[in-house]
Amino acid sequence: MRFPVLPMSTFRSSRATSAPNWMTLSALAALLMFFGTDAADAQSDLDQCKFAGVLTKADDGIAACDRILKDSKTSAQDRASALSNRCGWWWAKKDSDQALTDCNESIRVNRSNAAAYLNRGNVYLSKSDFEHAFADFNEAIRLDPKNAWAHAERGNLYKNKGDFDRALADLNEAIKFDPDYALAYFSRGDLYRSRGDLAHAMTDMNDTLRLDPNYALAYFTRGRLSYMLGNNPAALEDFGKAIKLEADNSIAYFNRGVAYYVIGGRIPDAIVDFTKAAELNPKDAYAALWRDLAERRNNAPGHLAEAAKQLDMTVWPAPVIREFLGELKAEQTFGAAFDTDPQTKVAQTCEANFYSGELAVLKKNKKEAQRLLKLAADTCPPSFIESTAALSELITIK
């Protein structure tokens, strides 16, 4: 299976603004003395309304934007900005319909506001309307060519379209315009990973975590890279940090379980993690498979038959599960792995070889285990967990 991926937040990393100088403070004090508390309240609303991508501040931000929009003295420019910011806050709260209404009105009031196009582009992304999102990111960059966030968002769209060269160009621009932009490093690192450039990917993940030490997805991804490079202790450490930050995410438990599994003497730890992953996501067939593998390896009672009741047994990897349950022979699993789509065929054949090889290990059929695991090691895509696991197993059964 391909490495399961944690959901990625598209919020921009926050960072401190520079401290105001004494002349600015003095001028502000003079203004407050002249205009009174109304000016202070208005400035406070403007500051609170400004979209910063921090979900916990969304309600306060929307309330501040509301006050600005209800104020009859608000200028057209400030009204457009408040609508754009409120659009961002609604998007953060996953209310895409309200967000789209606000962004559309902001652009109607002021068509030169790059932020409104950027926020609306993100709303379109949340609606899976990639064509309109791409058009809005283009317009945001045209209006604000040095906008790092817009370049990063367009870069991610290029990456998803498979246009890696344009994606890399945009992400490089994002980092050039904002060298402290953690998510841009993360996106570029994930792009390098998808292209098999693990060294550059690791460098970018390190920079991501240097800038944002509480970014769970970056720990998870760096753990994946360490696992692919054969550095299981580092993978375990990073998966553990991801779990500490997001304790209810089944995917991090699953991946740490795999890392435990391929390290000698850590099978009981693997069982604990696979069990937790299966509890959090009972419909995850791979968590059920790996839990069964670990339990059998540890001579413990299996739970696959019970778990199968909650799985979709009409789609892959159902044939593998049936083989584990004794309902199919290996030859039947290999036959079921065939698919007219070449990529699907490669993926399913990889898994058929690996899991049948693991069954051969459990049955102490060393020759067959070596043959099948060697096939898996040679033919599985590097991004598949079975690829590294097969290599590790071959070392132990020599």
Side-chain angles (χ1 to χ4, degrees), residues 88-102:
W89 290 122
W90 285 125
W91 167 73
K93 287 173 68 71
K94 303 188 186 306
D95 190 335
S96 55
D97 290 334
Q98 292 225 51
L100 187 58
T101 297
D102 275 350

Side-chain angles (χ1 to χ4, degrees), residues 32-321:
L32 292 180
M33 290 175 63
F34 186 79
F35 289 107
T37 57
D38 287 347
D41 290 342
Q43 184 60 46
S44 175
D45 282 342
L46 287 170
D47 292 338
Q48 257 191 317
C49 173
K50 188 174 182 180
F51 177 57
V54 182
L55 183 57
T56 55
K57 297 182 178 180
D59 289 336
D60 290 339
I62 290 171
C65 294
D66 288 345
R67 289 191 292 271
I68 293 170
L69 292 168
K70 290 176 182 176
D71 188 344
S72 60
K73 297 190 290 292
T74 298
S75 67
Q77 183 174 348
D78 284 345
R79 178 177 175 79
S81 294
L83 285 163
S84 171
N85 286 316
R86 194 171 67 177
C87 166
W89 290 122
W90 285 125
W91 167 73
K93 287 173 68 71
K94 303 188 186 306
D95 190 335
S96 55
D97 290 334
Q98 292 225 51
L100 187 58
T101 297
D102 275 350
C103 270
N104 285 339
E105 179 63 12
S106 175
I107 291 169
R108 189 191 68 79
V109 174
N110 181 7
R111 293 190 174 276
S112 63
N113 184 3
Y117 289 98
L118 178 52
N119 287 333
R120 192 174 69 174
N122 279 316
V123 176
Y124 281 131
L125 275 184
S126 69
K127 288 175 166 286
S128 299
D129 186 344
F130 304 114
E131 183 177 349
H132 280 102
F134 187 74
D136 273 351
F137 294 146
N138 280 337
E139 184 63 11
I141 291 170
R142 186 187 71 80
L143 292 167
D144 184 3
K146 295 184 178 182
N147 190 307
W149 193 4
H151 279 286
E153 294 290 4
R154 191 175 69 177
N156 281 321
L157 269 183
Y158 276 131
K159 183 178 76 169
N160 293 335
K161 291 170 65 175
D163 192 339
F164 293 142
D165 290 337
R166 283 194 173 96
L168 184 59
D170 261 341
L171 292 169
N172 285 339
E173 288 289 278
I175 290 168
K176 181 180 77 172
F177 295 135
D178 189 348
D180 294 331
Y181 191 176
L183 278 177
Y185 286 99
F186 176 86
S187 295
R188 190 175 69 178
D190 197 53
L191 174 63
Y192 281 133
R193 180 200 57 77
S194 68
R195 301 182 78 174
D197 188 345
L198 303 188
H200 279 101
M202 184 66 78
T203 298
D204 275 348
M205 288 304 143
N206 289 338
D207 280 330
T208 301
L209 290 165
R210 173 180 59 82
L211 293 164
D212 187 355
N214 295 313
Y215 192 11
L217 183 54
Y219 284 113
F220 173 81
T221 305
R222 193 172 68 177
R224 292 171 61 194
L225 292 169
S226 293
Y227 174 82
M228 292 168 71
L229 291 166
N231 189 350
N232 286 309
L236 286 172
E237 182 179 357
D238 275 344
F239 290 144
K241 290 177 179 177
I243 288 168
K244 187 176 180 180
L245 290 165
E246 294 185 353
D248 61 347
N249 197 294
S250 65
I251 298 173
Y253 284 102
F254 173 81
N255 279 271
R256 190 173 68 175
V258 172
Y260 278 136
Y261 184 89
V262 299
I263 294 176
R266 303 302 295 268
I267 298 298
D269 294 318
I271 293 174
V272 171
D273 274 353
F274 292 139
T275 300
K276 183 67 174 178
E279 287 174 356
L280 290 167
N281 184 6
K283 297 186 182 299
D284 185 347
Y286 291 97
L289 271 173
W290 281 83
R291 181 185 180 185
D292 190 66
L293 274 175
E295 287 170 339
R296 293 194 195 193
R297 185 70 65 90
N298 207 44
N299 297 314
H303 294 81
L304 186 58
E306 181 184 349
K309 297 175 183 177
Q310 300 188 66
L311 303 177
D312 185 351
M313 297 300 288
T314 66
V315 297
W316 190 269
V320 177
I321 294 171

